[in-house]
Amino acid sequence: MARFVLIGSGLAGGLLAAYLGRRGHDVDLYERRADPREGNLVGGRSINLAISTRGIHALEQIGIADEALKHAIPMRGRMIHNRTGALHFSPYDVDPKNCINSIGRGALNTTVIEAAQRYPNVRVRFNHKCTDVDLESAVAHLETVNGPVTAQGDAIIGVDGAFSAVRKSMQIKINNFHYDESYLAHGYKEVTIPPGPDGSWRMEKNALHIWPRKSFMMIALPNPDGSFTCTLFWEFEGPRSFAAAKTDDDVRRFFNEEFQDAVPLMPTLLEDFRNNPTGSLVTVRCAPWFYRDKVCLVGDAAHAVVPFYGQGMNAAFEDCVVLDESLETFSDNPERAFADYFCRRKQNADALADLAIGNFVEMRDKTASKTFRAKKKLDHALEAALPGIYLPLYTMVTFTRIPYARAAKRAHVQDRIVQAALIGFLVLVIVALAALLL
Ligand SMILES: Cc1cc2nc3c(=O)[nH]c(=O)nc-3n(C[C@H](O)[C@H](O)[C@H](O)COP(=O)(O)OP(=O)(O)OC[C@H]3O[C@@H](n4cnc5c(N)ncnc54)[C@H](O)[C@@H]3O)c2cc1C
């Protein structure tokens, strides 16, 4: 059995520690923050997330899906809010059982860490910040309140998120390490809709709410306590932007103009806007994700994506399943196992990065249009008429485990066939009409 040092006990770190612990490996998990069970929630990140088939499958494999999903809220479709406050509901799938689930980040993080700690061979240490990794010797250097310490394993696994210190060490020390990060011109900020006086949800509970406004948007996900967490995705700079919203009046005016129906539900809007951080949205692509049999990257550390497909965590959980499988297949050769994992995941992570950026345009702009609704209806009609043959892209990404790259390719082919069929049908109609008239 190997000895793994994991850096980062976020969502994927906790889950991976549980997978490795189950295989009997010795695992030391180091996290820079305090224990989330002491109420130190992950600041600056989303409070809740959408978990779907891939993420749930990863939890099921380790036997904690029911525990994790106990307080999750199913969201069956998008509830579109237009400027006048009119609502339109668009289901995610033709099968009403297919829904995404709003889940609290803090609770999920605790569930995966506790799952890992059930294995006596897994140890978790909080308040340990990794500053550097010696790649050749698999030694991590960590800062603690009592001064610097080191941790040595047979391998170090960087599960330390989008701004990974482990990846940084690889970047500096590996010749030809490919690294690319790109930021959107938009940032995000969370504001809250509290529960009604009786603790009930003040909008439809089983939906993901979207206020699409072309170049920007707000979304809201329900929480178990009756509240909604709303996230405004807005330009950092420009005449209407985070930078331009300098005073409370600017913020109030903007929300009144754009999200008229939500404002009366947001008594703490101005405090939330002032006090909550403005996050940035980064896509990270890098290669390779491993160095010999010594270092490996998992989750956002390997492939951070923007959140518009609700798949970053789902993909990070899927990484854990694949890495576990690769380590099992090549149990006597960790370098081959890391290479196999990288090979199976890289093109899918790249495909997801593109899909996620594409879905931002769809969510903020197209969801409001009649064409979008018509396309969704056509998608669902074809899916019902051709079960197992025609699968809409959203369905493949969210409700199946078809690899992301294959899903994207298949959707492209399907779209070409549907377009050709529609053109063919139109030509037939025109020919028939012409024949009737002549
Ligand atoms: C606004 C927003 C909304 C999102 N919504 C969704 C969604 O609906 N569905 C979805 O699937 N995904 C969503 N995501 C993406 C999701 O949050 C990430 O993909 C997921 O958190 C990745 O998990 P991870 O464990 O790789 O990284 P993280 O969850 O970021 O965990 C990394 C951990 O490493 C620790 N760490 C960092 N540096 C160090 C260090 N130097 N030393 C020690 N520890 C360290 C951190 O403290 C943290 O605990 C969203 C992201 C954002 C920003």
Side-chain angles (χ1 to χ4, degrees):
M1 287 299 134
R3 176 150 185 231
F4 288 102
V5 169
L6 267 55
I7 306 296
S9 77
L11 298 175
L15 188 67
L16 184 62
Y19 269 90
L20 296 174
R22 182 177 64 171
R23 293 258 181 230
H25 297 296
D26 227 22
V27 181
D28 284 296
L29 177 54
Y30 293 95
E31 165 60 44
R32 74 173 170 194
R33 295 176 199 267
D35 190 335
R37 290 161 293 191
E38 290 165 7
N40 305 288
L41 278 188
V42 198
R45 305 297 300 276
S46 57
I47 288 170
N48 53 23
L49 310 111
I51 188 165
S52 48
T53 299
R54 295 167 203 266
I56 295 170
H57 171 259
L59 297 173
E60 276 168 357
Q61 297 308 297
I62 200 92
I64 55 169
D66 290 345
E67 188 184 337
L69 290 170
K70 212 166 33 198
H71 302 296
I73 300 176
M75 298 180 288
R76 303 189 199 293
R78 311 164 184 87
M79 184 67 84
I80 309 297
H81 297 240
N82 77 14
R83 274 204 177 77
T84 64
L87 299 177
H88 175 84
F89 182 75
S90 165
Y92 279 127
D93 195 50
V94 68
D95 180 349
K97 286 201 294 301
N98 279 341
C99 49
I100 59 176
N101 302 276
S102 174
I103 192 163
R105 185 185 285 270
L108 182 57
N109 205 166
T110 298
T111 305
V112 291
I113 291 172
E114 287 180 349
Q117 286 182 320
R118 281 180 208 140
Y119 299 96
N121 42 325
V122 175
R123 293 161 294 274
V124 187
R125 294 188 183 85
F126 296 97
N127 302 306
H128 281 66
K129 181 183 172 190
C130 176
T131 50
D132 188 25
V133 171
D134 290 340
L135 306 184
E136 301 294 344
S137 55
V139 169
H141 297 266
L142 302 134
E143 261 170 19
T144 75
V145 281
N146 301 318
V149 296
T150 56
Q152 175 151 31
D154 296 321
I156 308 269
I157 305 195
V159 213
D160 49 343
F163 304 98
S164 166
V166 179
R167 187 186 64 225
K168 187 106 201 186
S169 293
M170 295 171 74
Q171 238 175 295
I172 295 168
K173 297 170 190 175
I174 299 177
N175 282 338
N176 302 325
F177 184 79
H178 167 80
Y179 182 71
D180 178 68
E181 66 176 23
S182 57
Y183 286 86
L184 290 189
H186 294 68
Y188 70 93
K189 192 183 282 287
E190 293 191 339
V191 294
T192 302
I193 294 181
D198 56 351
S200 61
W201 290 266
R202 302 190 70 191
M203 303 187 294
E204 168 59 47
K205 170 189 169 191
N206 296 113
L208 187 150
H209 295 260
I210 311 178
W211 290 258
R213 297 295 182 263
K214 294 212 174 285
S215 72
F216 62 91
M217 69 171 176
M218 183 168 77
I219 65 168
L221 272 70
N223 296 311
D225 67 355
S227 67
F228 285 86
T229 303
C230 308
T231 311
L232 170 66
F233 296 96
W234 199 18
E235 286 93 336
F236 275 117
E237 301 288 339
R240 291 177 95 216
S241 66
F242 281 116
K246 290 196 172 71
T247 65
D248 284 356
D249 276 350
D250 295 336
V251 174
R252 203 180 293 113
R253 195 176 324 112
F254 169 69
F255 271 79
N256 280 332
E257 279 168 16
E258 300 294 344
F259 313 119
Q260 179 202 114
D261 60 335
V263 173
L265 310 178
M266 296 173 155
T268 56
L269 169 65
L270 297 177
E271 291 94 301
D272 290 349
F273 200 90
R274 232 180 286 126
N275 298 334
N276 291 344
T278 308
S280 54
L281 297 162
V282 67
T283 301
V284 170
R285 296 173 204 253
C286 67
W289 294 354
F290 68 103
Y291 178 72
R292 300 193 178 151
D293 58 347
K294 299 294 180 205
V295 183
C296 187
L297 299 174
V298 169
D300 276 16
H303 52 73
V305 297
V306 294
F308 304 108
Y309 232 111
Q311 285 295 314
M313 166 200 47
N314 286 284
F317 280 6
E318 207 170 45
D319 284 352
C320 299
V321 176
V322 174
L323 179 57
D324 179 61
E325 286 170 3
S326 300
L327 285 167
E328 171 66 356
T329 310
F330 302 102
S331 55
D332 53 349
N333 188 341
E335 181 169 0
R336 256 193 100 187
F338 292 160
D340 181 62
Y341 152 77
F342 170 62
C343 186
R344 287 171 65 188
R345 295 303 286 161
K346 172 65 177 160
Q347 58 171 333
N348 291 309
D350 286 346
L352 175 60
D354 294 338
L355 289 171
I357 289 171
N359 216 41
F360 186 28
V361 181
E362 174 153 320
M363 284 177 87
R364 70 176 201 227
D365 187 1
K366 303 201 174 126
T367 50
S369 77
K370 291 205 167 94
T371 320
F372 173 84
R373 288 178 208 166
K375 166 88 171 72
K376 287 289 157 200
K377 282 193 179 141
L378 178 64
D379 266 351
H380 292 173
L382 288 169
E383 191 185 356
L386 304 165
I389 298 171
Y390 183 90
L391 283 172
L393 176 60
Y394 190 87
T395 300
M396 287 191 274
V397 169
T398 311
F399 302 123
T400 76
R401 293 193 294 116
I402 297 172
Y404 293 117
R406 202 186 306 155
K409 210 165 160 191
R410 181 166 162 181
H412 182 70
V413 172
Q414 285 179 173
D415 281 352
R416 300 284 291 267
I417 294 171
V418 170
Q419 266 172 20
L422 284 175
I423 291 170
F425 177 72
L426 271 177
V427 170
L428 269 181
V429 170
I430 292 166
V431 169
L433 279 176
L436 276 177
L437 293 173
L438 291 176

